[in-house]
Amino acid sequence: MAENNEKLFDQFPEVSYAEWRAKVEADLKGADFDKKLVWRTNEGFNVEPIYRAEDIAGLKTTDSLPGQFPYVRGTRTDNDWLSRQNIVADNAQVANEIALDVLNKGVNSLGYKVSTADDVEVFLKGIYLDAVEINLDCCPGKAVEVAKALVAAVKAAGVAETFRGSINYNPLRRQLLKGFEGFDNEAVVKEACELLDVVADVPGLRCIAVDSEILANGGAFIYQELGYALAWGAAWLTALTEAGRSVDEVAKRIKFNMCVSSNFFMEIAKFRAARMLWAQIVEQYKPECLCAAKMVVNATTSRFNQTIYDAHVNLLRSQTETFSACVAGVDSIVVTPFDVAYKRPDAFSERIARNQQFLLKEESHMDKVVDPAGGSYYVEKLTVSIAEEAWKLFLATVDGENGFFGAVGNGTVQKAVNDSCDKRHSEVARRKEVLLGTNQYPNVNEKADNKIESTGCCCCCDEKGPNALSMKRAATDFEELRLATEASGRRPKVFMLTIGNLAMRLARAQFSTNFFGCAGYEIIDNLGFNTIEEGVDAALAQKADVIVLCSSDDEYAELAPAAFKYLAGRAEFVVAGAPACSEELQAAGIKDFVHVRCNVLDTLRDFNNRLLKK
């Protein structure tokens, strides 16, 4: 049999970008290419609809290998990340029991917030410290004594050289979450130096935290989390090297705790850019070994986009986020349980959270492939683009008075993040940012007031000062609206008066169902009516509070005034759409229209004010 050396696609001619674009513009039939197909990101740059080899030509990010400086493709030559679970328990004894249980279920990294140094011994009882990463969180004033207790336990176990873990020393937490002044730079540097001395004999114990996860859960955009994380890390490098510590010592003790959102490709690019930029920052401090420039990152799936209603959608969000993090090559991952927005996670939700990682490892074998996104035209371009925007923010922050610490002290960081949070809430209100089950396609019959045990908010949300992060989840406003409907004890009825053009009435009835369903109203849909009078009478027979006329733009000029007149104020009247005759309809007294350009949240708040007070 003759050997076939024909290459795949050789029979097809190569298509240039100009030819491709000409074809696309012809298919757009006069529509603007940039407006239709180019995405302007919140990160401050445009994303094109297609990328080609020429788009990454000359990019330095494509030259390195995994495990090589500047580590854009990973700090390791494998992708076997640690599966971490943060233990939530009332005391150290219970936490230890939970830890021993979950260690038998595949977890190889533990996190726990200890109150005192005495808790450390209790929590670690029976745990093999050479096989499990231990991450302890504590109040800044307790960090040194907790570190001493952990180091003592590690040495007693004889695993000082192989132990991996961290002390989450973050003296900025109070300022970020509560907004109060009081950051004593000299005292903080002194305490950090004490920590470095305490952990000196345990190479794998990191004790200086960069908690940009707080900023992301506060509503920061991706480039902001990255830019501020880098500035935060650089602030530690500067402060501690000026205190006489070597850059090698300091850099090898910094742990980055970052968030990962559902913006799949952007998050992959963020972590790749983070490693690259951090390596270059550390390099400028002249370390003896470039291994000090390796960034160690724990990624935690987002709380900002979690919802109370249709909470199982949170599983889809966190699975996408976990996938991003593992593709990006982070060191460890925490999957936030799907129910934390309204209760303390239970055994079921924690089990599901663990298994979300195990699916990617054991069934998808994502731990077997290093930097699977490497070489992707899109991801490589995103990596460089987000690095550029984050670098601008980094430079602006470190060049300011007292760097990142000063920017937190005067509220600059908090204000920038809160502004981003407000913008994102506005986009959720207008459905430019979709939260499935909350502001789009809600389960209209679901009730949530009976399942809420806690707000899922941090313990620092009360007694806030002027420079605090708001920490409002994206769904909070819609949830407050819908919970108000539940609390009123009265569920308004919204009747779809469908008439005329079949395709348009069905489409607009579906749109209006989703629109009013976001407030938890009862929806009454219909197959269609022959006359306006028949439809209005049917609505009033069912005691409808709102009647939504669903038809075509051409028919509204006649049908809407007739329906409004016949209804005679016996219920709220709404036209579904924004027809060309809107001004004439408004002149006739019709004031309510629902359409894609509406602020859904403000519109529903207005209806709640009208309907729930009856």
Side-chain angles (χ1 to χ4, degrees), residues 46-177:
N46 292 338
V47 172
E48 298 290 333
I50 187 173
Y51 288 95
R52 296 160 56 93
E54 57 260 35
D55 292 306
I56 66 169
L59 294 184
K60 295 181 179 180
T61 56
T62 60
D63 294 338
S64 64
L65 294 173
Q68 291 184 0
F69 185 89
Y71 309 116
V72 64
R73 303 200 61 198
T75 58
R76 311 183 306 276
T77 55
D78 64 68
N79 194 30
D80 191 12
W81 73 90
L82 296 172
S83 298
R84 175 171 161 182
Q85 180 171 334
N86 290 334
I87 306 298
V88 180
D90 293 325
N91 57 64
Q93 179 60 47
V94 174
N96 174 258
E97 294 171 2
I98 296 173
L100 292 174
D101 178 54
V102 300
L103 287 174
N104 288 320
K105 296 175 179 176
V107 168
N108 53 11
S109 176
L110 296 171
Y112 178 59
K113 185 170 184 177
V114 296
S115 300
T116 67
D118 294 337
D119 289 341
V120 176
E121 182 180 358
V122 176
F123 175 65
L124 297 180
K125 185 177 181 181
I127 296 175
Y128 292 96
L129 299 182
D130 56 341
V132 183
E133 183 188 62
I134 301 295
N135 304 278
L136 299 181
D137 194 1
C138 60
C139 296
K142 302 285 186 179
V144 173
E145 63 179 74
V146 167
K148 289 179 179 178
L150 178 57
V151 169
V154 169
K155 288 183 175 180
V159 295
E161 293 299 320
T162 57
F163 175 81
R164 289 180 296 177
S166 66
I167 303 290
N168 192 36
Y169 177 64
N170 176 13
L172 294 179
R173 183 186 287 120
R174 183 174 184 273
Q175 278 188 297
L176 290 170
L177 294 176

Side-chain angles (χ1 to χ4, degrees), residues 45 219 228 240 275 277 348 399 410 440 470-471 487 532 556 569 584 590 593:
F45 58 87
Y228 285 135
L240 293 174
R275 288 192 296 266
L277 294 177
F348 173 75
D399 287 343
N410 62 29
Q440 187 70 283
S470 68
M471 302 303 291
I532 284 295
Y556 278 145
E584 290 82 356
I590 299 171
F593 300 81

Side-chain angles (χ1 to χ4, degrees), residues 302-348:
S302 176
R303 291 184 178 225
F304 181 78
N305 61 13
Q306 287 208 326
T307 63
I308 294 175
Y309 288 95
D310 220 345
H312 287 94
V313 179
N314 293 332
L315 293 170
L316 304 180
R317 298 182 181 108
S318 58
Q319 189 65 46
T320 298
E321 293 161 2
T322 307
F323 192 15
S324 289
C326 76
V327 169
V330 301
D331 297 279
S332 59
I333 301 175
V334 177
V335 179
T336 305
F338 74 88
D339 53 359
V340 298
Y342 56 89
K343 62 180 289 189
R344 173 184 283 191
D346 56 26
F348 173 75

Side-chain angles (χ1 to χ4, degrees), residues 47 91 109 111 138 204 213 231 241 272 312 372 383 415 449 452 455 545 559 583 602 604:
V47 172
N91 57 64
S109 176
C138 60
E213 175 191 350
T241 53
R272 297 175 90 246
H312 287 94
T383 300
K415 183 181 184 306
D449 58 347
I452 299 176
T455 62
D545 298 284
L559 295 177
E583 290 187 7
D602 286 349
L604 292 178

Side-chain angles (χ1 to χ4, degrees), residues 551-568:
S551 189
S552 67
D553 286 4
D554 293 339
E555 294 170 294
Y556 278 145
E558 178 182 347
L559 295 177
F564 183 70
K565 182 177 180 180
Y566 184 73
L567 181 60

Side-chain angles (χ1 to χ4, degrees), residues 19 48 64 173 199 205 244 317 319 382 481 499 550 587 604:
E19 291 174 304
E48 298 290 333
S64 64
R173 183 186 287 120
V199 304
L205 178 53
R317 298 182 181 108
Q319 189 65 46
L382 277 185
L481 175 81
I499 189 170
C550 303
L604 292 178

Side-chain angles (χ1 to χ4, degrees), residues 22 130 148 339 357 476 527 614:
D130 56 341
K148 289 179 179 178
D339 53 359
Q357 294 196 57
T476 300
L527 296 177
K614 290 184 177 181

